[in-house]
Amino acid sequence: MFTTRPTLQGTFGMVSSTHYLASQTAMAVLEDGGNAFDAAVAAGFVLHVVEPHLNGPAGEVPALVAPAGGEVRVLCGQGVAPRGATVEHYRGLGLELVPGTGPLAAAVPGAFDAWMLLLRDHGTRSPADVLKYAIGYAEDGHAPVERVGETVETVRELFEGAWASSAEVYLPGGHPPRPGELFRNPALAATWRRLLAEAGGDGSRSREERIEAARRVWREGFVAEALVRQAARPTLDTSGEQHVGTLTARDVAEWSASWERPVAYDWGGWTVCKAGPWSQGPSFLQQLALLPDELPAYGSEEYVHLLVEGCKLAMADREAWYGDAAGVPLDALLSDGYNTARRALIDDRASYALRPGSPGGRTPRVGAHAAVAAGGAVGRTSGATGAGEPTVGEDGRTRGDTCHLDVVDRWGNMIAATPSGGWLQSNPVVPELGFPLGTRLQMTWLEENLPDTLTPGRRPRTTLSPSLALRDGVPVLAFGTPGGDQQDQWSLHFFLAVALRSPVRGSLDLQGAIDAPNWHTDAFPGSFYPRGMRPGSLTLESRFDPSVVDALRARGHDVTVGGPWTEGRLCAVARDPRTGVLSAGANPRGMQGYAVGR
């Protein structure tokens, strides 16, 4: 099969990420003797610099972490809603939805603390060791990819008219970052240098003490003080009004990243691990559970129809049941009996209804806004179709997207991480720090008694969804993609391509699975402001056989044919436990994701 690149193979280490500089940074750490977790942390901080339109230090990061010989765990770097973030407060401001930008949408920042927790518990390097690469790119400059400048240009009017601190960083000399020219963020570099100095950069403390000191500086020192000041500044947001946020010093000081057990599901000899139902991760597992014992031919119109309709059912259950609340009936949602009954709802025609199920006989509840959108009475969509990149609508509403990185090392340590949030278009840059607050609270509802109701101390139900798969109890494959609501659609299509198709050179055909034509549907309430949906929609890459496209239309799908390379930004690494051979592949879409290794 033709692929855009080879599936890389080696024995020393493999990295795949959504930006080539992050991939090479991680490889440099491996070459210097660091392990996969040191490499991931260093690459994560570089992603803040080179993909600022996709993530930042005040965003969030979930990860699936598999230490060699140890148990798979979930690293939760998703911050919670501040104490003042109540439905009553937001409704009192005249809001029906949490704004898509501005400080009202800011959860407690989670990314920095999560990276530090990973470094402390599984890494071998110091904070200075892993931050030096990001400091270098921020201080000395890097040549930005086209999409950074394109994104800044779409929000130029907002930056110049209302978000002056963002214009200072991202419109130097009046123009956005340009390919082929060095772009710098000296304020961000200064933040990291000061944090390292205050955390014991003189070497008088042990590695663990310096990590803990860095976490304290972030949570209680100058970083927290600047974040809280920014949240209190009146800021123009997507509501068209200026608002202040609810984030306080106490909120920042008392939250920390944490470790959790993954949710796992066995399918076809694989065990797939995901984060819990505070993410959309279990929807991937339910899509597997909805598959019949025998699948139609890979890539056929019957195959695509089956996957799309299963996705609609799983995402309807996501809407009705998922959230950071007690009582999510996850065992029932993934049970054989429940999904056998759900599978019977799939017939030869495309469904245009939002159909959540009743696990354990419970009655599903969908919020009023989602129900109206599902009924087609509101002409809103969940954003532009395509590669899941940040978009700006005709009304000026902005969305950000996400990054992804995977690493496996010679010892068998493996990680899949999906950094996101704190995009340059989410909030004004904090002048003292060089990066903005995030906007993850836009994924909560301002209606009481829903699984994802905005609630102080609870995590918003995030779309971030890294994946890790095992064979015979041994970690074999780490993968993921940016793309918001599309992540567990594109990832499922990739995983099935890996699992169902022939291997390459004796190993998993990662690049072939990444390159395979992909698709997505928006036929469920979107997670991003303004939270709309497109019933019956199906977007296909134009590389699908025209006969498959015609057959799907004949089944009633509202088909949009996109560009040939528009669906997905997948990354993947793998390890064959029998031979020790490592593999990697990366997405060619967008012309910036790369895998490296040897």
Side-chain angles (χ1 to χ4, degrees):
M1 174 188 169
F2 168 80
T3 61
T4 58
R5 308 164 183 174
T7 294
L8 303 185
Q9 293 188 328
T11 57
F12 181 82
M14 289 286 164
V15 181
S16 179
S17 88
T18 49
H19 196 290
Y20 48 85
L21 291 179
S23 295
Q24 191 53 53
T25 293
M27 196 65 202
V29 174
L30 295 180
E31 295 283 6
D32 194 43
N35 66 20
F37 311 119
D38 298 315
V41 175
F45 283 110
V46 167
L47 286 171
H48 297 159
V49 180
V50 300
E51 291 194 317
H53 58 309
L54 305 178
N55 78 138
E60 43 275 325
V61 56
L64 272 294
V65 175
E71 294 185 355
V72 177
R73 293 200 292 174
V74 174
L75 173 64
C76 175
Q78 174 58 65
V80 299
R83 283 174 174 77
T86 65
V87 170
E88 181 181 18
H89 174 65
Y90 285 59
R91 288 288 192 178
L93 296 172
L95 298 172
E96 295 184 1
L97 294 172
V98 177
T101 61
L104 277 177
V108 177
F112 178 84
D113 196 66
W115 287 128
M116 287 295 105
L117 183 63
L118 175 63
L119 187 67
R120 186 196 73 182
D121 290 353
H122 293 290
T124 67
R125 297 306 197 240
S126 71
D129 292 332
V130 295
L131 276 166
K132 66 183 181 182
Y133 305 92
I135 292 172
Y137 285 125
E139 198 166 62
D140 301 327
H142 70 283
V145 294
E146 288 84 352
R147 193 59 180 147
V148 177
E150 292 170 0
T151 302
V152 173
E153 193 61 54
T154 62
V155 288
R156 173 190 286 274
E157 184 176 345
L158 174 66
F159 281 13
E160 292 181 335
W163 292 10
S165 60
S166 295
E168 184 175 347
V169 175
Y170 290 106
L171 289 166
H175 66 76
R178 296 171 176 170
E181 297 182 2
L182 291 179
F183 173 70
R184 298 176 174 87
N185 188 342
L188 177 57
T191 294
W192 296 143
R193 288 195 180 279
R194 180 178 173 185
L195 181 142
L196 291 173
E198 294 188 12
D202 60 1
S204 61
R205 296 173 174 172
S206 70
R207 188 187 79 92
E208 290 77 11
E209 288 172 337
R210 278 176 279 168
I211 293 171
E212 286 305 301
R215 298 175 75 193
R216 286 194 299 272
V217 172
W218 176 276
R219 294 202 301 252
E220 302 173 19
F222 78 96
V223 177
E225 292 169 358
L227 293 171
V228 171
R229 280 196 300 270
Q230 182 63 44
R233 293 183 177 117
T235 301
L236 179 67
D237 60 35
T238 51
S239 71
E241 304 291 335
Q242 290 192 345
H243 293 110
V244 299
T246 62
L247 189 69
T248 67
R250 183 183 175 190
D251 293 319
V252 180
E254 294 186 358
W255 182 86
S256 65
S258 59
W259 294 105
E260 301 179 359
R261 293 178 60 86
V263 180
Y265 185 80
D266 295 329
W267 180 86
W270 296 79
T271 299
V272 183
C273 296
K274 302 289 282 189
W278 53 268
S279 77
Q280 71 173 358
S283 70
F284 180 104
L285 307 181
Q286 189 177 356
Q287 289 176 82
L288 289 177
L290 284 163
L291 296 176
D293 292 336
E294 294 189 12
L295 294 176
Y298 178 88
S300 65
E301 55 99 359
E302 294 91 350
Y303 178 85
V304 176
H305 174 76
L306 175 68
L307 265 60
V308 172
E309 294 305 299
C311 173
K312 293 175 185 177
L313 294 174
M315 290 301 193
D317 280 343
R318 183 193 75 164
E319 186 59 42
W321 300 107
Y322 288 21
D324 189 23
V328 177
L330 199 55
D331 288 344
L333 287 167
L334 296 179
S335 67
D336 291 342
Y338 178 75
N339 286 290
T340 297
R342 296 284 278 159
R343 190 183 309 122
L345 297 175
I346 299 175
D347 55 25
D348 291 337
R349 301 291 297 172
S351 171
Y352 278 62
L354 185 69
R355 301 184 288 180
S358 301
R362 301 188 187 192
T363 301
R365 182 168 183 206
V366 175
H369 182 90
V372 169
V378 177
R380 294 170 169 168
T381 71
S382 60
T385 61
E389 291 282 0
T391 60
V392 179
E394 295 178 358
D395 56 2
R397 293 167 175 164
T398 63
R399 286 178 55 199
D401 195 33
T402 303
C403 309
H404 187 81
L405 65 95
D406 303 304
V407 188
V408 61
D409 64 28
R410 53 186 156 159
W411 301 289
N413 298 303
M414 185 179 290
I415 180 171
T418 309
S420 186
W423 315 294
L424 65 84
Q425 62 274 39
S426 63
N427 261 294
V429 166
V430 183
E432 307 95 317
L433 302 179
F435 59 84
L437 287 163
T439 55
R440 193 59 57 175
L441 293 187
Q442 68 180 291
M443 297 185 171
T444 62
W445 293 110
L446 298 181
E447 182 178 340
E448 298 285 5
N449 301 317
L450 298 176
D452 195 31
T453 294
L454 176 65
T455 306
R458 284 187 181 171
R459 294 166 288 191
R461 188 202 69 212
T462 180
T463 53
L464 307 177
S465 192
S467 305
L468 199 144
L470 299 81
R471 300 277 293 189
D472 300 320
V474 179
V476 169
L477 176 66
F479 61 101
T481 178
D485 295 309
Q486 299 161 24
Q487 289 181 32
D488 283 309
Q489 303 180 55
W490 291 335
S491 289
L492 178 74
H493 188 61
F494 161 81
F495 174 73
L496 291 176
V498 168
L500 298 175
R501 298 169 73 178
S502 299
V504 58
R505 297 199 300 273
S507 297
L508 301 176
D509 184 11
L510 302 184
Q511 196 62 49
I514 289 170
D515 288 354
N518 216 323
W519 57 269
H520 84 273
T521 178
D522 297 308
F524 49 85
S527 297
F528 291 91
Y529 185 93
R531 311 299 303 272
M533 63 180 287
R534 295 192 301 138
S537 66
L538 174 59
T539 301
L540 300 163
E541 288 183 330
S542 61
R543 291 180 295 127
F544 272 91
D545 189 305
S547 64
V548 171
V549 176
D550 291 343
L552 289 166
R553 284 197 172 113
R555 287 177 179 261
H557 294 278
D558 181 10
V559 174
T560 298
V561 178
W565 297 94
T566 50
E567 294 290 314
R569 288 177 63 208
L570 281 144
C571 302
V573 300
R575 178 179 183 270
D576 187 334
R578 301 168 302 165
T579 64
V581 171
L582 311 179
S583 305
N587 176 52
R589 302 164 178 90
M591 300 296 287
Q592 67 188 63
Y594 270 88
V596 295
R598 68 173 179 89

